Structure formats: C-alpha cells, structure tokens
Amino acid sequence: MPNTHRSVADRGEDWASSLVFSAMTIRASHEIADTWKYPHPYDFYDVTADPDDYHEFVSPKLWPEVFQQIHCHGDLVGFFSAQPIAEGTAFELSLGMHPSLTGNGRGLRFVNSGLAWLDDHEYQGRMVLSVASFNMRAIKVYQAAGFVKIRDYAQVTNGGTFDFVEMDLVRST
C-alpha cells in the first residue's frame, strides 16, 4: 500500500472534498480484508478477526445493497455500506477508514461524506449503526454527526461476546 494516505492529509487540503465513492470491487474488498490492520485495541475491527465477517466482506453475493469503496487521490481510504432494514424504512450502516487515517480528526468528515452520498443517491430516512462500546473515539464522531445512543447490547463476534452500542440517526425523507 502506498504511503500517500499520510501525505494527502498533510497537504492541508479539505480531505473530505477529495473523497470519491464507487461500487465495491472484489479486489478492493480483499485489499481491505487482507491488509488493513488496526493497532490494539482497534484490531477488534480487522476483518480477519471474525471468519464469518471476513467471508461476508469478500463475497459479493453477501454484500449489502450499498457497498462503496472510497478513494482519495487514487488511494483506497475507506468503505461505506448501507443495508435496508425495517422493511426498507431504515438502513444499517457499516464503515471503515484505512488504519493510517484513523484517530487524526478525519472521522466526522468521513461519516458526513458517507451520509451525503446516501442523500445524493436517495437513500434517506432512519440510519442505524452499531459500535463496540470501548470505541469512544468512534462514538464521539457518531454523536457529532447527529447519532444518538439507542441501547447497549451484547453481541457474539470475534470468538467471544462483546458489548456494543446501537446508535440511530433520524433523517428527513
């Protein structure tokens, strides 16, 4: 992976305005799943941390309705997905940024760019996401984007049972 992720951010440009969304490809899904490794404790989010998650991430037949890869100046920097739930009246979101870009103040612009993309493509209404309860930096980003905590729950994943927070964003239709 080129080290341009850091140089793009260091140029001082409005990073979010340079994000380009396109449909996920097998190649990009494997690049993310096989090579993106987060530092502890965020390695919990490595796609390889759970075999079922890995299989879903690299199997196009299992992909959500919306599964976008995100590039910045040609580099793969993230993904964003939305799956209809509640009979199509809401969408469950999943997203991730390249490990070298996390923890540096780009999260809110990244989330807002994904939400804007959904708006532009007429995916509107209620948005739901889940985040590991230890991930306070993501929870703060989601709150800044307008998500509110709905509930705490335990989920079996990554070889154990972990605490999660479900968050909800009600958007105009």
Side-chain angles (χ1 to χ4, degrees):
M1 166 130 294
N3 193 19
T4 54
H5 295 103
R6 190 70 64 198
S7 64
V8 167
D10 292 342
R11 283 187 260 190
E13 60 189 78
D14 182 7
W15 183 74
S17 67
S18 300
L19 299 179
V20 177
F21 288 71
S22 60
M24 183 60 74
T25 63
I26 294 284
R27 182 177 179 191
S29 73
H30 274 282
E31 181 176 332
I32 294 165
D34 296 335
T35 68
W36 288 16
K37 303 299 178 192
Y38 297 91
H40 183 75
Y42 304 102
D43 56 347
F44 178 86
Y45 291 103
D46 291 355
V47 179
T48 55
D50 185 277
D52 292 335
D53 290 345
Y54 180 88
H55 179 69
E56 183 178 326
F57 203 90
V58 299
S59 301
K61 290 181 181 181
L62 301 176
W63 286 352
E65 182 174 307
V66 174
F67 197 20
Q68 296 287 300
Q69 58 183 305
I70 305 168
H71 287 83
C72 184
H73 299 286
D75 292 320
L76 181 61
V77 298
F79 68 91
F80 202 96
S81 72
Q83 181 65 30
I85 58 172
E87 298 177 8
T89 63
F91 295 89
E92 183 175 18
L93 304 181
S94 179
L95 58 126
M97 288 194 320
H98 189 279
S100 69
L101 298 173
T102 62
N104 294 304
R106 292 179 196 86
L108 181 57
R109 290 176 293 182
F110 183 80
V111 170
N112 284 337
S113 292
L115 294 172
W117 186 93
L118 291 171
D119 275 347
D120 291 346
H121 292 84
E122 300 183 14
Y123 291 96
Q124 299 176 342
R126 184 171 161 245
M127 302 289 166
V128 178
L129 57 77
S130 294
V131 58
S133 62
F134 77 83
N135 193 349
M136 291 308 300
R137 82 181 176 194
I139 290 170
K140 288 178 185 178
V141 166
Y142 300 143
Q143 288 171 331
F147 286 84
V148 295
K149 178 180 170 181
I150 300 301
R151 68 181 177 115
D152 295 304
Y153 67 98
Q155 178 174 319
V156 175
T157 187
N158 295 20
T161 302
F162 298 91
D163 293 329
F164 276 78
V165 175
E166 181 178 334
M167 302 184 81
D168 193 4
L169 175 68
V170 178
R171 298 158 51 87
S172 60
T173 54

